[in-house]
Amino acid sequence: MRVSQGVMVVALLADPDAPTEVAQRMARTLPDRLADKSGQGRRFDVEVVSEPFTSGTEDPPTLMRRIMDRGSAENWDIVVALTDLPLHSHGRRLAVQLNREHGLALLSLPSLGGLRLQTRARRAVEGTVIDLAGPQTTGAEGPPQDRPLLGPVAGRLTPIHPGPAGVEETADLRYVVSGPGGYLRVLLGMVRANRPWRLVPGLSKALAAALATGAIATVNSTVWNLAASLSTPRLVIAMAGSVAIMIGWLIVDAHLWHRSAESSPEARQRARLYNASTVVTVSIGVLICYVGLLVINWVWALFILNDQVFASLTRNPLRAEEYWTLSWFVASVATVGGALGSGLESDEAIRAAAYSKREQERRHTLQNDHGDQPSK
């Protein structure tokens, strides 16, 4: 390991978009934190490099070789690569993969979950760098595989020692997530990487159709009478139905459902994970849209409705309850209008709104190259 002038150079090789943002934020304090944790007067210099090192593949050995080639061309002592793609290795959901001989690490951010990602990623990177840097004392800490890694994060991960790194085996230590809790953690991490709140501004034509539908429905006397006659359970059913229609329409119309060209159990497992993240991502985005429509319709109703006209047509006074009931029902009607309006959006626009850049590239590659090799 090269250490120039007593300073260890650490490169954070990050996929564009969210991984780069995470790396840039942690790089501000990482040198001082690493120096404090490692002791022995060590100094660290952290560089952030943003490039799509996962382009065209999800295979961890291939990615490790890319990281190795990239690191050998630079004056880096340690390379920690960050991606927001979920990775699998030998049928397991991969969190961290290390090659101590070359000072390399590959970190899949979705394995850290969807909450407190910045803190968890920083702790994982700190633990990884300290582990790869190695001890400076004389053997009291035991062999490398016995040293703790990732700090508090490691308690949720399972270590696997595949053996010495070599030509066939590119890692000498892996951390994987397992069990139902691990599956849920990766799923939430994938959803967070997709940033479902971006679905709202990303579907401009669908939102325009929904807003127009809501504006017209709010001043329609038939809608007033329907809203006044509906009980709360029926309003809930109308809401659930409209949201389900919107979710289903977006997934089907934009071809968001992932169908694996492979028949292996691991491929089917990956497909289920990707489809689950799609459903959750789109569901959150649609629910945000629904709440926004409800609020806008309520404000519009406050501004436009006349209590005397409303009472003469519905035989009900225009009270706060009527405003709420009407806005709720109109939001459901407008959501169905938005589902129809989403048909005017291009598939690319919907995918751009629903997925991270890495996930968009992954799906584009799978669609155009059904002969890809399966991930190891």
Side-chain angles (χ1 to χ4, degrees), residues 28-45:
R28 300 167 189 164
T29 59
L30 194 57
D32 293 336
R33 294 181 65 90
L34 289 173
D36 292 340
K37 288 180 178 291
S38 64
Q40 304 295 320
R42 281 180 172 174
R43 291 185 296 158
F44 293 86
D45 184 23

Side-chain angles (χ1 to χ4, degrees), residues 40-372:
Q40 304 295 320
R42 281 180 172 174
R43 291 185 296 158
F44 293 86
D45 184 23
V46 177
E47 300 178 10
V48 177
V49 179
S50 178
E51 61 182 54
F53 70 94
T54 60
S55 180
T57 185
E58 298 175 75
D59 182 40
T62 301
L63 296 178
M64 290 296 284
R65 283 189 285 269
R66 288 184 180 180
I67 299 167
M68 190 181 304
D69 293 340
R70 187 70 175 85
S72 63
E74 303 287 344
N75 188 32
W76 297 334
D77 301 304
I78 293 175
V79 183
V80 180
L82 289 78
T83 180
D84 56 1
L85 282 181
L87 300 177
H88 295 77
S89 179
H90 303 285
R92 298 172 180 265
R93 291 176 285 274
L94 181 66
V96 186
Q97 183 161 279
L98 283 83
N99 183 318
R100 288 192 176 101
E101 179 182 355
H102 297 279
L104 309 175
L106 174 61
L107 173 61
S108 174
L109 293 178
S111 65
L112 302 179
L115 301 175
R116 302 176 62 226
L117 177 62
Q118 187 67 42
T119 300
R120 291 179 176 179
R122 190 200 68 227
R123 290 175 177 174
V125 170
E126 289 174 0
T128 299
V129 172
I130 297 300
D131 181 273
L132 292 176
Q136 283 194 330
T137 56
T138 58
E141 294 153 357
Q145 63 267 25
D146 293 332
R147 294 198 306 269
L149 175 64
L150 309 184
V153 180
R156 304 181 180 186
L157 306 176
T158 303
I160 297 177
H161 303 276
V167 177
E168 297 296 331
E169 186 57 69
T170 57
D172 49 26
L173 177 61
R174 296 188 183 98
Y175 275 80
V176 298
V177 292
S178 56
Y183 177 89
L184 182 60
R185 191 178 309 119
V186 174
L187 176 60
L188 293 177
M190 293 173 66
V191 171
R192 189 188 191 283
N194 288 335
R195 300 178 180 182
W197 52 87
R198 297 189 305 183
L199 195 67
V200 179
L203 301 177
S204 57
K205 295 176 182 177
L207 284 175
L211 290 172
T213 302
I216 295 172
T218 302
V219 297
N220 187 291
S221 59
T222 303
V223 175
W224 298 351
N225 285 292
L226 281 173
S229 65
L230 291 176
S231 61
T232 299
R234 288 190 174 185
L235 287 169
V236 171
I237 292 173
M239 177 184 68
S242 63
V243 168
I245 290 173
M246 183 71 161
I247 294 170
W249 182 266
L250 287 174
I251 292 175
V252 173
D253 186 60
H255 308 289
L256 302 183
W257 197 257
H258 174 69
R259 291 180 175 86
S260 176
E262 307 168 26
S263 58
S264 65
E266 184 174 342
R268 291 196 296 269
Q269 182 187 50
R270 288 201 305 271
R272 287 194 295 269
L273 186 61
Y274 289 131
N275 288 329
S277 71
T278 295
V279 172
V280 176
T281 298
V282 176
S283 298
I284 293 174
V286 171
L287 286 173
I288 293 174
C289 289
Y290 188 93
V291 172
L293 287 171
L294 193 154
V295 173
I296 292 173
N297 291 328
W298 179 73
V299 173
W300 174 241
L302 287 175
F303 173 76
I304 202 69
L305 293 185
N306 181 279
D307 55 348
Q308 293 180 351
V309 175
F310 185 91
S312 66
L313 292 172
T314 64
R315 294 185 174 85
N316 290 313
L318 188 56
R319 299 166 300 187
E321 181 181 354
E322 278 65 35
Y323 277 113
W324 165 254
T325 301
L326 178 63
S327 302
W328 190 1
F329 180 61
V330 169
S332 300
V333 175
T335 300
V336 176
L340 298 176
S342 67
L344 301 175
E345 303 277 6
S346 67
D347 293 352
E348 290 75 16
I350 296 176
R351 293 192 189 101
Y355 295 126
S356 67
K357 290 181 179 179
R358 293 295 93 205
E359 180 67 2
Q360 293 174 54
E361 291 183 5
R362 187 195 70 80
R363 288 175 177 263
H364 180 73
T365 299
L366 289 178
Q367 286 182 354
N368 294 319
D369 186 9
H370 294 293
D372 282 349

